[in-house]
């Protein structure tokens, strides 16, 4: 049988129209919370919350550390929508389900996407708890043909061959650096290249060494697919990785990557991440 390659425009429309009918919020900014970073959504005021299971066509979250709720609200007086829990390839979703919410956000009127994740540090200079502004990415599933834009292109969203050399907005990164400096966070602020893999197994030592040599500073299992779809439909993108653990690069090391460590580092840096994102949102001007 022929495989479904994506949603139709009408399917996206049904979901977006349902949300527009069920909330008065009209967000210009969407925030996607990474593993263990769902607390970001809690700082929104005047919340209107939807469980993914109550939204027509919305996929469900299956991972511990991802709540599965869409939270509308205001941050520093600005209307935002926050995904508390995202979708990953390793959950078994086809890639077009992973990025479904991005096009919904676009149809709601969102102009800027803020994407966050927990990631393993490959760069030797990185420490656990560092916040890495994403300046570029390596899309490993994409090299193997698993790109969210594979399939017929809908011109109502964007171009067949979108540019990715300017995916991570320079002005937003500059603003984030200023905000971090003002907050006294410069010591743990980094900027680097994020590499996405399919997961769910963590990398081997040889894989970590390979990724480092390819120019990756951090490695994870998310974000890039969403960024590609957001850029395709004309959103500005800001991304950051919380370095929750150091990727194991050495055969003598006793340390082992694990999900609990990822969640724990998230808890420890949560309040600073929230403060940084609030100030960033405060500084974002509408298009
Ligand atoms: Cl070390 N690897 C991957 N792929 N994802 C992660 C991670 C490592 N740490 C947090 N997320």
């Amino acid at each position: 049988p022929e495989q479904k390659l994506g949603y139709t425009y009408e399917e996206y429309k049904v979901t977006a129209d349902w949300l527009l009918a069920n909330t008065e919020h009209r967000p210009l900014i969407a925030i996607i919370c990474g593993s263990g970073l769902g607390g970001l959504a809690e700082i929104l005021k005047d919340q209107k919350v939807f469980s993914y299971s109550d939204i027509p066509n919305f996929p469900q979250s299956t991972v511990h550390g991802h709540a599965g709720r869409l939270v509308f609200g205001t941050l520093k007086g600005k209307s935002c929508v926050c995904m508390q829990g995202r979708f990953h390839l390793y959950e078994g979703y086809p890639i077009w389900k992973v990025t479904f919410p991005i096009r919904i956000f676009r149809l709601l009127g969102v102009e800027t996407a803020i994407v966050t994740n927990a990631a393993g540090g490959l760069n030797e200079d990185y420490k656990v708890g560092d916040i890495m502004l994403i300046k570029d990415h390596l899309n490993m599933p994409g090299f193997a043909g698993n790109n969210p834009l594979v399939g017929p292109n809908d011109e109502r969203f964007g171009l067949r061959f979108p540019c990715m050399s300017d995916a991570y907005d320079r002005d937003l990164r500059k603003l984030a650096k200023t905000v971090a400096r003002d907050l006294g966070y410069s010591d743990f602020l980094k900027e680097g290249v994020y590499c996405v893999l399919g997961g769910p197994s963590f990398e081997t030592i040889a894989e970590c060494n390979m990724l480092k040599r390819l120019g990756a500073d951090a490695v994870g299992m998310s974000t890039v697919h969403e960024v590609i779809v957001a850029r395709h439909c004309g959103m500005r993108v800001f991304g950051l990785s919380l370095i929750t653990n150091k990727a194991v690069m050495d055969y003598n090391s006793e340390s082992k990557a694990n999900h609990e460590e990822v969640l724990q580092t998230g808890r420890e840096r949560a309040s600073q991440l929230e403060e940084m994102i609030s100030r960033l949102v405060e500084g974002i001007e509408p298009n």
Side-chain angles (χ1 to χ4, degrees):
E2 196 157 297
Q3 214 188 330
K4 189 167 155 103
L5 284 168
Y7 294 94
T8 62
Y9 194 83
E10 289 65 35
E11 284 170 310
Y12 289 110
K13 212 53 190 112
V14 164
T15 306
D17 288 345
W18 186 90
L19 287 166
L20 289 169
N22 283 278
T23 174
E24 288 175 358
H25 290 281
R26 294 294 178 264
L28 299 182
I29 299 171
I31 303 170
I32 302 182
C33 306
S35 289
L37 305 176
L40 268 171
E42 314 291 347
I43 61 178
L44 301 191
K45 303 248 179 0
D46 303 317
Q47 290 189 7
K48 173 79 188 182
V49 181
F50 300 95
S51 279
Y52 293 163
S53 56
D54 295 332
I55 308 171
N57 297 337
F58 227 81
Q60 310 299 309
S61 244
T62 69
V63 200
H64 178 57
H66 286 268
R69 307 190 319 154
L70 199 59
V71 181
F72 289 80
T74 60
L75 189 51
K76 302 277 183 183
K78 292 200 163 86
S79 184
C80 296
V81 57
C82 198
M83 274 183 85
Q84 213 175 19
R86 61 147 58 88
F87 309 113
H88 305 83
L89 287 179
Y90 62 73
E91 293 173 83
Y93 295 115
I95 195 161
W96 44 271
K97 282 198 182 181
V98 169
T99 57
F100 173 76
I102 303 296
R103 286 182 170 172
I104 299 307
F105 297 153
R106 183 78 238 192
L107 293 177
L108 298 180
V110 167
E111 299 175 340
T112 304
I114 297 176
V115 288
T116 70
N117 61 56
L122 294 163
N123 187 316
E124 306 282 1
D125 295 337
Y126 289 8
K127 297 187 193 60
V128 170
D130 281 351
I131 294 174
M132 183 187 87
L133 307 182
I134 304 176
K135 72 170 177 203
D136 203 348
H137 70 225
L138 288 169
N139 179 13
M140 303 304 265
F143 291 166
N146 208 1
N147 182 300
L149 302 178
V150 166
N153 185 56
D154 193 324
E155 295 280 337
R156 286 167 286 190
F157 286 116
L159 300 173
R160 172 74 288 189
F161 300 110
C163 177
M164 286 294 142
S165 58
D166 57 354
Y168 300 86
D169 193 87
R170 195 177 306 163
D171 295 335
L172 292 178
R173 279 186 280 133
K174 193 167 165 217
L175 175 61
K177 285 178 223 174
T178 305
V179 160
R181 192 176 330 110
D182 292 348
L183 287 166
Y185 293 178
S186 299
D187 283 353
F188 56 87
L189 191 79
K190 302 279 162 40
E191 186 170 33
V193 175
Y194 176 84
C195 176
V196 61
L197 302 178
S201 48
F202 288 115
E203 303 68 44
T204 64
I205 293 170
E207 286 163 347
C208 288
N209 283 306
M210 177 192 82
L211 297 176
K212 188 179 157 195
R213 291 167 69 136
L214 292 178
D217 296 299
V219 57
M221 308 175 191
S222 69
T223 304
V224 168
H225 325 301
E226 296 147 359
V227 169
I228 290 169
V229 171
R231 292 298 296 152
H232 176 251
C233 66
M235 288 187 201
R236 287 203 296 172
V237 169
F238 173 79
L240 62 77
S241 294
L242 175 63
I243 305 300
T244 54
N245 55 287
K246 293 202 66 148
V248 179
M249 313 283 271
D250 158 13
Y251 287 97
N252 294 314
S253 170
E254 294 291 322
S255 77
K256 300 210 276 183
N258 67 87
H259 192 51
E260 192 43 49
E261 182 182 22
V262 171
L263 296 181
Q264 183 56 31
T265 308
R267 287 190 277 271
E268 286 163 12
R269 269 284 184 255
S271 63
Q272 282 137 321
L273 262 166
E274 286 160 19
E275 193 54 40
M276 194 168 142
I277 292 198
S278 307
R279 300 260 192 126
L280 189 72
V281 164
E282 190 174 26
I284 293 177
E285 304 291 343
N287 284 346

